[in-house]
Amino acid sequence: MKLYKHTRGAVIEEAGGFRLLPDADWDELVNRDDLSEHLTQLIAASGTAMDEGALKDGLLAPLGKQEVWAPA
């Protein structure tokens, strides 16, 4: 399972398919202690199918509101 940040929301890749979660708050989502289980539930319950071409057109860096540090 992989998780992507997209211009249209969070996207889960599972078993060769992609599911868009347009209402997911990125920061809240990635900071869950039960992220893997939560994503599995979201896949089973909902999500809009998305093709790989549409995914590539809107990928974003997997960053949210957290502070990011890098060496100078």
Side-chain angles (χ1 to χ4, degrees):
M1 179 182 319
K2 294 180 183 179
L3 181 63
Y4 301 95
K5 186 174 183 183
H6 193 272
T7 54
R8 294 174 46 200
V11 177
I12 303 169
E13 178 182 357
E14 176 69 11
F18 299 92
R19 292 280 174 195
L20 174 64
L21 306 172
D23 298 326
D25 176 87
W26 183 259
D27 291 312
E28 184 179 311
L29 184 63
V30 298
N31 287 303
R32 292 184 65 104
D33 291 333
D34 65 339
L35 180 59
S36 181
E37 294 85 13
H38 182 67
L39 293 177
T40 300
Q41 291 174 355
L42 290 174
I43 290 169
S46 64
T48 304
M50 177 181 237
D51 65 50
E52 190 172 357
L55 172 73
K56 290 179 180 180
D57 289 339
L59 284 177
L60 299 171
L63 303 173
K65 296 176 186 169
Q66 75 271 25
E67 217 173 298
V68 177
W69 289 68

